[in-house]
């Protein structure tokens, strides 16, 4: 039996090794009382169970008493045997518990794509891994896994996540994708096939947007997701500026269609002639205008190093978008398509600046550039934006 306590800032972690049974529990309880008393105020209390081999009913009662005394108390790194006991007794619903995760290395792995919350690497011909930023919590991973499973059940062509792992101090999600490449890579390597790839991309949008999300599903509101993001960028923009973006978002009609939320070409993987989706953290339901606006913001109006992030030259983006619009709105008049393009362009302004909510540590230069672009694209076009927003209601689904 081993027991120690370590403080890191406001977090106090208990490290326990061995069996937590009827013999050991009273001793551990008494020793812990003394150790924790020395720590003073405890804002967050964590139990590291990586070395714990057994958990009895007496041990469970002790953990429950700790949860009552310390509301922030939670368990991490629980091995299979310990986790199963906690799960079967429903303690995982009372005490937040994380499993002991398999550890993987990405040394020498090819980078498949980069995003706002992580980087995707190829582990093998069969698998890829999305490694999240250090500040991303397990809640974010489980949200993405749940959205992927729910979307798959609804009919969205998604890559299957089958493992949560550790990569150093970061979390990762492992996906099964047999010899797939991102659509961005395909476009960059085969620019002569842009029309073919763009048609696949457009039809993917049509396929997803034909899916209706019922009230019995756990899919979240895309509007609420984006509304929360806009609140987070108040540290970079004044209330009037954020208010303009909120006005655009509120003008988008309500809907119940399935939306990916971040359907950039780097989040679509081409496998055996079919597109499969990854990066499911922003899946929601709403109006297709919102999803298409996100795609426009990446292909047509991205702020930053376009080729590094999107994966191919900016001029390819315009070629792709022209095909996407014609295929997506096939059968509509030229005037209607032009009108829809204007609506998408205005709606995309929300994403152009809302993505800054993804991190608190962007370099000052990035913030400055975004603020300058806001003045040009939003404040300088305010009357035009209000006018186009008034037309959003004519987009019926």
């Amino acid at each position: 039996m081993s027991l120690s306590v370590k403080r890191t800032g406001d977090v106090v972690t208990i490290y326990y090794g061995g069996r937590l049974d009827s013999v050991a529990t009273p001793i551990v309880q008494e020793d812990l009382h003394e150790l924790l008393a020395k720590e003073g105020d405890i804002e967050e209390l964590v139990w590291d169970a990586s070395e714990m081999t057994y958990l009895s009913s007496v041990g469970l009662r002790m953990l429950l008493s700790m949860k009552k005394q310390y509301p922030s108390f939670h368990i991490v790194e629980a091995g299979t045997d310990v986790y199963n006991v906690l799960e079967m007794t429903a303690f995982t619903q009372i005490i937040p518990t994380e499993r002991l995760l398999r550890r993987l290395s990405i040394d020498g792995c090819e980078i498949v794509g980069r995003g706002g919350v992580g980087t995707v690497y190829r582990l093998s011909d069969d698998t890829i891994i999305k490694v999240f930023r250090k500040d991303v919590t397990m809640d974010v991973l489980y949200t993405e896994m749940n959205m992927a499973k729910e979307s798959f059940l609804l009919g969205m062509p998604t890559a299957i996540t089958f493992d949560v792992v550790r990569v150093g101090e970061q979390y990762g999600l492992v996906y099964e994708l047999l010899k797939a490449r991102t659509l961005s890579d395909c476009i960059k390597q085969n620019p002569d096939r842009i029309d073919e790839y763009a048609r696949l991309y457009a039809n993917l949008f049509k396929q997803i947007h034909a899916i209706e999300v019922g009230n019995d599903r756990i899919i979240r509101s895309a509007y609420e997701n984006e509304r929360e993001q806009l609140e987070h960028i108040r540290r970079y923009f004044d209330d009037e500026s954020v208010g303009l973006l909120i006005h655009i978002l509120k003008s988008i009609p309500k809907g119940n269609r399935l939306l990916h939320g971040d359907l950039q070409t780097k989040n679509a993987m081409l496998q055996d002639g079919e597109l499969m989706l990854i990066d499911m953290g922003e899946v929601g339901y709403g109006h297709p205008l919102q999803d298409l606006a996100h795609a426009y913001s990446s292909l047509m109006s991205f702020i930053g190093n376009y080729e590094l992030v999107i994966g191919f030259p900016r001029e390819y983006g315009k070629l792709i978008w022209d095909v996407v619009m014609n295929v997506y709105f096939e059968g509509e008049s030229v005037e209607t398509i032009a009108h829809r393009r204007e609506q998408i362009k205005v709606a995309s302004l929300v994403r152009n600046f809302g993505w800054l909510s993804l991190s608190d540590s962007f370099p000052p230069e990035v913030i400055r550039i975004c603020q300058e672009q806001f003045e040009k694209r939003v404040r300088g076009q305010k009357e035009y934006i209000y006018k186009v927003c008034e037309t959003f209601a004519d987009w019926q689904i």
Side-chain angles (χ1 to χ4, degrees):
M1 181 182 78
S2 62
L3 177 66
S4 63
V5 170
K6 180 181 179 181
R7 176 182 283 274
T8 305
D10 295 326
V11 180
V12 174
T13 303
I14 301 165
Y15 296 89
Y16 179 73
R19 295 168 61 88
L20 196 60
D21 53 22
S22 59
V23 175
T25 299
I27 301 171
V28 172
Q29 199 161 15
E30 184 177 344
D31 291 347
L32 263 182
H33 179 74
E34 294 180 9
L35 289 170
L36 296 178
K38 295 176 182 177
E39 294 297 331
D41 293 336
I42 298 176
E43 190 167 312
E44 182 178 349
L45 184 62
V46 183
W47 183 289
D48 187 313
S50 57
E51 300 297 327
M52 191 162 73
T53 58
Y54 179 81
L55 179 59
S56 71
S57 59
V58 178
L60 284 169
R61 285 195 292 272
M62 189 198 81
L63 295 176
L64 182 59
S65 68
M66 294 187 69
K67 179 64 176 176
K68 291 178 179 178
Q69 185 177 357
Y70 301 96
S72 66
F73 179 69
H74 60 280
I75 300 169
V76 299
E77 304 291 328
T80 301
D81 291 343
V82 171
Y83 187 89
N84 286 344
V85 171
L86 290 163
E87 187 175 45
M88 286 189 296
T89 56
F91 266 64
T92 52
Q93 299 177 34
I94 302 170
I95 304 172
T97 305
E98 296 179 12
R99 291 179 179 272
L100 178 64
L101 303 178
R102 183 163 65 103
R103 290 190 174 272
L104 291 178
S105 171
I106 54 172
D107 291 345
C109 292
E110 171 197 358
I111 294 178
V112 175
R114 292 183 174 89
V117 296
T119 303
V120 178
Y121 299 84
R122 179 166 295 287
L123 286 175
S124 67
D125 285 345
D126 298 345
T127 56
I128 61 173
I129 180 173
K130 180 179 179 181
V131 181
F132 291 79
R133 292 194 323 247
K134 286 185 178 181
D135 60 340
V136 172
T137 65
M138 279 294 292
D139 288 342
V140 174
L141 270 75
Y142 283 127
T143 295
E144 181 155 335
M145 289 183 71
N146 289 335
M147 290 302 103
K149 292 175 183 176
E150 189 74 8
S151 301
F152 179 78
L153 292 174
L154 285 169
M156 183 185 285
T158 64
I160 303 301
T161 58
F162 65 88
D163 202 4
V164 181
V165 299
R166 281 275 198 180
V167 180
E169 297 303 311
Q170 296 161 259
Y171 293 115
L173 282 180
V174 180
Y175 293 84
E176 182 177 28
L177 278 170
L178 301 175
K179 298 181 180 179
R181 291 187 299 160
T182 68
L183 187 57
S184 289
D185 282 344
C186 294
I187 291 166
K188 184 175 183 178
Q189 295 170 18
N190 305 283
D192 56 313
R193 298 175 64 183
I194 280 180
D195 185 79
E196 173 192 343
Y197 294 139
R199 288 178 179 278
L200 283 173
Y201 189 46
N203 284 321
L204 180 60
F205 277 108
K206 293 176 74 171
Q207 177 185 350
I208 295 170
H209 297 164
I211 299 171
E212 298 186 33
V213 179
N215 294 330
D216 58 333
R217 314 308 299 196
I218 64 169
I219 300 291
R220 304 166 299 174
S221 162
Y223 168 83
E224 294 299 333
N225 291 346
E226 201 144 28
R227 185 70 170 79
E228 290 175 8
Q229 290 177 2
L230 293 180
E231 289 301 320
H232 285 300
I233 66 170
R234 290 187 184 275
R235 56 184 176 272
Y236 304 129
F237 300 97
D238 60 31
D239 288 346
E240 181 185 359
S241 299
V242 175
L244 285 170
L245 297 177
I246 291 174
H247 176 80
I248 297 171
L249 182 62
K250 283 185 173 180
S251 299
I252 297 174
K254 295 186 185 301
N256 68 338
R257 300 306 171 92
L258 187 59
L259 312 178
H260 180 271
D262 192 20
L263 214 173
Q264 305 179 44
T265 50
K266 65 181 179 182
N267 286 335
M269 307 289 293
L270 188 61
Q271 178 179 306
D272 297 330
E274 296 183 5
L275 290 177
M276 305 285 288
L277 292 168
I278 61 172
D279 208 352
M280 310 297 289
E282 294 189 69
V283 167
Y285 68 85
H287 193 287
L289 171 57
Q290 201 170 343
D291 224 14
L292 292 166
H294 287 189
Y296 182 96
S297 72
S298 66
L299 282 175
M300 295 291 287
S301 59
F302 180 79
I303 301 172
N305 189 327
Y306 188 98
E307 192 160 351
L308 175 66
V309 177
I310 306 304
F312 47 74
R314 191 181 286 269
E315 56 265 28
Y316 290 179
K318 184 180 185 306
L319 296 174
I320 295 165
W321 190 248
D322 287 343
V323 175
V324 167
M325 289 292 92
N326 288 330
V327 172
Y328 189 89
F329 295 110
E330 189 175 13
E332 299 283 359
S333 68
V334 173
E335 293 76 18
T336 297
I337 295 175
H339 179 51
R340 295 288 180 248
R341 291 179 71 137
E342 286 298 299
Q343 292 173 320
I344 292 168
K345 180 180 178 180
V346 168
S348 75
L349 293 169
V350 176
R351 186 65 166 188
N352 278 159
F353 304 99
W355 69 272
L356 289 170
S357 66
L358 297 175
S359 176
D360 296 327
S361 56
F362 286 112
E365 180 65 11
V366 171
I367 304 304
R368 184 189 63 79
I369 292 173
C370 287
Q371 290 170 336
E372 288 179 353
Q373 288 298 314
F374 184 91
E375 294 301 313
K376 294 178 181 177
R377 299 184 184 189
V378 184
R379 202 182 302 279
Q381 301 288 325
K382 189 162 59 173
E383 296 307 316
Y384 163 75
I385 289 168
Y386 280 135
K387 183 177 179 180
V388 174
C389 283
E390 290 176 0
T391 73
F392 285 175
D394 68 28
W395 189 334
Q396 301 296 316
I397 57 174

